Amino acid sequence: MSGGAGVSQRAVLAAVALAVALPMVTACGADDVGRATESGTGAMTATVVSGDERPAAARAGAAEPVYGFGTPATAAQIAAWDIDIGPDGAGLPPGRGTVAEGLEVWERHRCILCHGPTGREGPNDVLTGRVPGDEFPFANDRSLRSTVGNYWPYATTLFDYTRRAMPFDLPGTMTDEEVYAVVGAMLYFNDLLPADAVVDSATVVDTHMPARNRFVPDNRTGGPTIR
Amino acid sequence: MEGGYETDGNGGDVDDREEGSGLTRRALIAGAAAAAGGAITAGATRGLVQEAPDPTKVPGARPVVVGSRSPHETPEKLLSGSMGGSSRTPLQELHGIMTPADLHFERHHHGIPQIDPATYRLLIHGMVERPTLFTLDDLKRFPQVSKLLFLECSGNGGGAYTSSPSPEHTPQSVDGLLSTSEWSGVALSTLFEEVGAHAEATWFLAEGSDAAVMGRSIPMEKAWDDAMIAYAQNGEAIRPEQGYPARVFLPGWEGNASVKWVRRIELADRPSMFRDETSKYTDPLPDGTARQFSFVMDAKSIITYPTYPRRLPGPGFVEISGYAWTGRGLIERVEVSTDGGDSWHDAVLQEPVLPKCTTRFRHGWEWDGGPAHLLSRATDETGYAQPIRQQVLDARGPGTRYHSNAIRGWRVARDGFIAFAPV
């Protein structure tokens, strides 16, 4: 699917078809299709010929590429970068760790330097802390710290972020087992797991996070109402 | 603390939502020294002009392959954040609406990566017909889009939202996580058509190749609307600190979601619930919930002249000037008050007035030498008018830390000194 010396015959035909299908581009010759040149100023924005005017449904699921640029990605290439963990646990790797091992990881990887012995001492992000009754008074109490125990809605996020970005000076270098273990330690610090817990993918998905149901969609819509 | 900012001791992420008790005493002293230094420099410059050879009587310099600023002009970003994760644009030193690329604000989540454009790849996969790797050259072969757009960190202006904001705030220190550039690249919709995005996909994630592998989930509607993969800024390749060689750009939306150094996009039918869309960049509300995926930056404005630490030299004409912007489209109106909101006057909106871009406003004012309180209020095309702080407090409570857009203001004293004083 590599583009080769230029737009393929097929792509040109597709582009012409695109032009015919688009009222916005009737003033443009076929050569102009896919060659929007306006600077995006004011009224000219409306003449963008990149197909922006069509509804999403009409643009999705194209059976053929329009231009033929780019190279098919192999499964191995995708796997090397596909690191995100979904809230449903999708992407969690095999393996397990224990809270006890996690406390060792906490010291060995120097988590303690930024987050303190139990995650609540700082000097950087405070990770440990609960609110009595698991209330959620953050809007009214500016001094309250948002922590794993009182604010993070998903433990999958904790696994995801820790694995990709920590420890700070050697990001992304912990083994999956170390990540399971240290996630267990952070959940233990927040009284969300017992000291003898074993942590695996099921634990990360199933651990009750007090703030799980606190998040709501954005209801700001413009207009005169301040939300 | 190098930027002279006090932080709330909560680590690397305070810098984009800090309460900004303002400048520390040390910074204050430094600022006063800088102000004094500026006066000295200006004096020295005048002296130089008098003593230097008459430029009309000596041959001028030759062209150079890369230009530079006059040595007399030294605008600088203000470094802030306890982990060195931010820098702020010197809004008060700029004219028009464009931000020079080397003065564009920064907010990084684990530093600036060094990326070789020759080995750069963007992977698009997930709910698509054809998982594809694009080189930088591939991206540049697609039809280009190019627009003047603002970019603003959603933590911008946090220093104005406290009950007692520092009077020593400058436009840069309070709202300098705002910049405007011409961004050029390929429409994300073009790429999504190319790979055959599935109609069932409702979200896509974008991840950077920085040390945080910074990720955000973004609704597909934004891709079909106006999202782009940008590879150029103000006519040249994007600067490393802005995402070289390519970044996501989401016009009008909080800057954090415009993932820099983007290497992977995956289409899905649900958000990934990344750290920066759950534990950060969410807005607690008084009813015990937190607003999530609050992408759009609402209408806002700030006067950038005259402001602290300037001093008006004496009564007479003053052109009040500043920026207004909204993530919802066009700025429709900017009003200026010089009496703390008792009366308002329509400011002149300088062309071009563009959607999701800063708009320069101006208002001529005859200062009579008495106390004054300068305010600006922006209204966007949806009819949303910039609120006062109490309105935001009523809606969101004092604990909210993002999307601080209440009316900014500046008090002018009889001696011409100016202090930050939002309402």
Side-chain angles (χ1 to χ4, degrees):
Chain A
M1 227 176 298
S2 172
V7 178
S8 67
Q9 182 81 9
R10 189 180 62 195
V12 170
L13 291 173
V16 171
L18 187 64
V20 171
L22 273 173
M24 295 305 296
V25 298
T26 49
C28 303
D31 288 349
D32 295 325
V33 174
R35 291 288 172 224
T37 53
E38 71 292 323
S39 64
T41 54
M44 298 188 71
T45 303
T47 64
V48 168
V49 263
S50 56
D52 291 358
E53 301 304 316
R54 285 173 300 147
R59 314 186 63 190
E64 299 291 335
V66 179
Y67 300 95
F69 304 156
T71 307
T74 66
Q77 288 168 325
I78 294 171
W81 281 359
D82 186 5
I83 60 171
D84 68 297
I85 310 298
D88 50 5
L92 279 170
R96 42 160 273 176
T98 66
V99 168
E101 290 162 358
L103 296 174
E104 293 173 19
V105 171
W106 191 256
E107 295 207 11
R108 187 164 71 247
H109 285 296
R110 300 170 304 284
C111 315
I112 192 169
L113 293 180
C114 287
H115 302 294
T118 67
R120 66 173 78 235
E121 300 86 357
N124 294 330
D125 271 33
V126 176
L127 302 175
T128 302
R130 295 283 288 275
V131 175
D134 288 332
E135 293 297 311
F136 200 79
F138 294 92
N140 298 318
D141 183 354
R142 198 175 173 89
S143 67
L144 192 57
R145 292 277 173 257
S146 57
T147 71
V148 169
N150 65 29
Y151 202 93
W152 289 53
Y154 301 95
T156 50
T157 305
L158 190 59
F159 186 98
D160 176 285
Y161 183 74
T162 304
R163 186 171 71 159
R164 71 174 61 216
M166 291 291 140
F168 190 79
D169 57 347
L170 290 169
T173 59
M174 283 191 281
T175 66
D176 291 338
E177 288 72 19
E178 286 178 314
V179 177
Y180 275 119
V182 79
V183 163
M186 289 185 276
L187 295 173
Y188 163 68
F189 290 154
N190 282 281
D191 297 327
L192 297 171
L193 281 182
D196 61 354
V198 176
V199 184
D200 60 13
S201 59
T203 321
V204 172
V205 172
D206 294 339
T207 297
H208 170 72
M209 301 297 278
R212 169 67 63 87
N213 297 318
R214 295 291 184 177
F215 291 82
V216 296
D218 188 4
N219 64 345
R220 299 171 305 144
T221 56
T225 306
I226 304 301
R227 294 190 171 94
Chain B
M1 299 290 283
E2 283 183 25
Y5 277 81
E6 293 173 344
T7 72
D8 61 7
N10 199 22
D13 284 281
V14 295
D15 39 349
D16 59 3
R17 59 192 180 93
E18 65 194 325
E19 310 201 355
S21 50
L23 304 172
T24 61
R25 172 161 290 272
R26 188 182 60 195
L28 239 179
I29 293 166
I40 291 165
T41 304
T45 302
R46 281 193 292 275
L48 270 179
V49 169
Q50 288 165 2
E51 294 161 17
D54 181 344
T56 69
K57 298 297 184 287
V58 293
R62 299 263 180 184
V64 292
V65 291
V66 178
S68 59
R69 290 193 175 90
S70 161
H72 303 296
E73 302 295 329
T74 56
E76 289 186 346
K77 291 180 283 186
L78 177 65
L79 305 182
S80 59
S82 60
M83 304 287 279
S86 303
S87 72
R88 294 163 189 254
T89 295
L91 301 176
Q92 68 277 6
E93 297 183 53
L94 303 180
H95 304 273
I97 57 174
M98 298 295 289
T99 308
D102 60 356
L103 297 176
H104 195 289
F105 84 87
E106 299 164 79
R107 174 72 182 98
H108 313 307
H109 290 258
H110 208 151
I112 305 164
Q114 301 300 311
I115 300 172
D116 180 352
T119 57
Y120 171 82
R121 297 289 185 278
L122 171 63
L123 168 65
I124 303 182
H125 72 115
M127 295 176 67
V128 304
E129 285 296 303
R130 295 171 293 279
T132 306
L133 282 166
F134 297 100
T135 65
L136 186 60
D137 286 342
D138 289 333
L139 295 178
K140 290 179 177 175
R141 293 177 71 188
F142 285 101
Q144 192 180 76
V145 292
S146 196
K147 296 179 182 179
L148 300 182
L149 299 162
F150 79 81
L151 187 68
E152 183 184 21
C153 177
S154 70
N156 200 28
Y161 194 63
T162 61
S163 55
S164 55
S166 166
E168 284 87 15
H169 267 303
T170 66
Q172 179 174 24
S173 69
V174 73
D175 274 329
L177 299 173
L178 165 78
S179 302
T180 303
S181 302
E182 181 184 11
W183 295 98
S184 308
V186 53
L188 200 48
S189 58
T190 300
L191 297 178
F192 282 1
E193 282 193 279
E194 186 72 8
V195 300
H198 291 172
E200 297 76 23
T202 50
W203 293 79
F204 68 91
L205 71 79
E207 278 176 356
S209 45
D210 57 334
V213 201
M214 181 39 232
R216 284 294 301 257
S217 306
I218 300 156
M220 282 293 286
E221 288 86 351
K222 189 64 172 172
W224 298 124
D225 181 11
D226 61 0
M228 70 167 85
I229 301 297
Y231 47 74
Q233 176 187 9
N234 295 349
E236 63 176 345
I238 289 180
R239 301 270 171 141
E241 59 271 26
Q242 297 307 324
Y244 182 85
R247 71 177 301 168
V248 175
F249 200 99
L250 308 176
W253 285 18
E254 63 183 12
N256 177 265
S258 285
V259 173
K260 293 179 284 194
W261 315 290
V262 61
R263 78 170 185 184
R264 183 170 81 97
I265 288 175
E266 180 178 5
L267 281 64
D269 57 4
R270 48 119 178 93
S272 293
M273 299 298 178
F274 286 116
R275 179 249 203 183
D276 281 327
E277 56 203 25
T278 52
S279 83
K280 310 286 182 185
Y281 299 96
T282 51
D283 314 315
L285 300 172
D287 66 358
T289 64
R291 184 178 286 150
Q292 190 179 24
F293 301 117
S294 48
F295 292 113
V296 178
M297 301 306 293
D298 273 322
K300 187 169 169 180
S301 67
I302 183 169
I303 292 169
T304 56
Y305 181 86
T307 59
Y308 179 86
R310 290 179 189 275
R311 180 185 183 186
L312 292 177
F317 178 78
V318 176
E319 186 176 72
I320 298 169
S321 175
Y323 297 100
W325 64 101
T326 172
R328 297 196 187 276
L330 291 166
I331 286 293
E332 189 167 277
R333 182 185 196 189
V334 178
E335 299 157 281
V336 169
S337 175
T338 57
D339 54 14
D342 290 340
S343 62
W344 293 90
H345 314 276
D346 279 325
V348 173
L349 304 187
Q350 176 187 289
E351 294 290 339
V353 177
L354 299 171
K356 304 177 185 179
C357 185
T358 44
T359 295
R360 172 66 65 172
F361 67 86
R362 307 180 186 286
H363 174 67
W365 173 49
E366 195 70 23
W367 183 44
D368 62 7
H373 191 182
L374 313 182
L375 308 176
S376 64
R377 177 170 65 193
T379 301
D380 71 20
E381 63 176 313
T382 74
Y384 177 97
Q386 197 178 353
I388 61 171
R389 179 170 174 270
Q390 188 60 51
Q391 289 175 284
V392 184
L393 277 173
D394 292 344
R396 301 180 207 162
T400 187
R401 290 167 189 271
Y402 301 100
H403 295 279
S404 163
N405 69 330
I407 291 174
R408 281 85 170 95
W410 308 88
R411 280 191 195 281
V412 181
R414 287 184 188 283
D415 56 11
F417 280 107
I418 302 171
F420 182 62
V423 296

